[in-house]
Amino acid sequence: MKTSRFARETSNIGKNSEIVPHRNTRSFAASINAFAAGDAGGSVVKQEDDGDDSSSLSSLGSPGALEIEDTPPLFKPGKRKRHSLSPVTTVNEASTIKVETTNSPRKAGIKTEDGSPAKIKRGRKQPAKKVIDNDSGQVTIHPPANWQEIYGLVQEMRRKILAPVDTMGCESLAEDTRSPRDQRFQTLIALMLSSQTKDTTTALAMKRLQSELPSPPGFTLEGILAIPPETLNTLIYAVGFHNNKTRYIKATALLLQSQFKSDIPDTIEGLMSLPGVGPKMAYLCMSAAWGRDEGIGVDVHVHRITNLWGWHRTNQPEETRRCLEAWLPRGKWHEINHLLVGFGQTVCLPVGRRCGECALSTRGLCPGAVRGKEVVLKRKRVKVMKGEDDDGVKGAGGGEEEIVVKEEV
């Protein structure tokens, strides 16, 4: 009689005397190793499955050759205690309470008169207010109530700390031995190189241009026009987006020669017409090169810090510039950029603000101050009723214990 393949294979099961061994996975090898060590009753460590059986099979060796990396470390589980009753804990009263303030090392510095660290206080936001006269309809902007106190404290802190912008800012990178026209051109190039670049890197790139451009004419408009773009790109390679800045500088040099009589423009509109020059560069260049304060140069530091103080709530630097110009005295339009850039480089960093070194945070003037956590250590005496001890006696082993509870406030 003709039978199916399935029936034939089923009938042969009982006839086979040999058992087909299982594939030696890592968990199987671990259990074999544990059994050989005399701990057959121990628990088996469950390994994470790689999800690829073919790779696991190909990586296996002979059944008897186990690598040390393939077997997890052996451990002997502790003796289990039987608890028929759940532990009952009654808390009496705290005997001592100790309060500690944990601050990051980056937030330590200012101390009180008695030598103890000053506590950080978060201030309240007091933004500039817009007031409309009902009779005339005239709009008046009232400055933040505490802006003069904040400004004065930042000036005092900046006098004690030297920032990179103080020695390597774009205003101080032009060569003193050059003519006023060439100094203005170098100031414009320094501002173009400084975008998305640290002051130290910008200073190094400017030094290379001043020392390695063929002289005469050297680092001048004519010198930039004379060199090929590849050479210029090599000299400014360290700055961010150097490929784009090479194209911008070469195009700017051609525009200055053809449209502005080989000098930089003396208007905001003319400066902003140059490739790669935005409002921030234009206002800073107008102030540094021509000595005219026609607006505030707002970079990321000025935008971030003034919003942190709660003077306004803006999303873009241009919004911040218009808000500041509405109430800040014109005599401070030039210095506020240099002041807050240095403050943002040394104290109010974008990441890891050093609030413990800032006088604003200890006087409660900064709404964005980062306060340390207060840890309260409470020492309590508790009564513990255990279930069964090792001998199986219920309720044995009870008594009083002293524990320390840590709580963060």
Side-chain angles (χ1 to χ4, degrees), residues 159-334:
R159 282 192 289 266
K160 300 176 182 178
I161 303 175
L162 186 66
V165 71
D166 296 332
T167 56
M168 292 172 284
C170 295
E171 299 179 6
S172 60
L173 296 180
E175 295 176 291
D176 297 335
T177 57
R178 293 288 181 178
S179 64
R181 187 205 71 153
D182 294 338
Q183 289 184 21
R184 290 192 291 268
F185 177 72
Q186 290 190 13
T187 300
L188 174 63
I189 299 301
L191 286 167
M192 295 177 71
L193 294 177
S194 67
S195 177
Q196 302 292 322
T197 306
K198 293 183 178 181
D199 288 339
T200 52
T201 307
T202 303
L204 290 175
M206 286 291 293
K207 186 62 67 176
R208 290 197 66 184
L209 291 172
Q210 293 167 355
S211 61
E212 299 185 27
L213 280 175
S215 183
F219 189 8
T220 61
L221 175 64
E222 293 74 20
I224 294 295
L225 290 170
I227 61 173
E230 294 79 14
T231 304
L232 177 60
N233 193 20
T234 302
L235 293 175
I236 66 170
Y237 184 81
V239 303
F241 304 99
H242 55 89
N243 293 323
N244 292 337
K245 292 176 181 179
T246 297
R247 293 194 295 268
Y248 294 156
I249 291 174
K250 292 294 287 186
T252 295
L254 291 172
L255 286 175
L256 295 181
Q257 185 186 44
S258 61
Q259 299 183 14
F260 297 98
K261 299 179 181 180
S262 298
D263 201 351
I264 70 171
D266 59 353
T267 62
I268 296 296
E269 293 76 13
L271 288 169
M272 291 182 62
S273 67
L274 301 176
V277 177
K280 180 200 76 171
M281 293 185 196
Y283 288 114
L284 290 176
C285 188
M286 181 64 66
S287 179
W290 294 106
R292 301 206 308 264
D293 301 329
E294 298 189 6
I296 300 175
V298 176
D299 68 344
V300 291
H301 291 289
V302 180
H303 173 67
R304 174 178 58 85
I305 293 174
T306 53
N307 273 276
L308 198 65
W309 289 341
W311 285 1
H312 40 248
R313 186 176 180 181
T314 56
N315 297 321
Q316 299 295 331
E318 266 300 281
E319 297 180 58
T320 302
R321 180 184 66 82
R322 289 190 291 268
C323 290
L324 289 174
E325 291 176 358
W327 60 266
L328 189 68
R330 198 179 188 92
K332 300 185 182 299
W333 283 11
H334 174 67

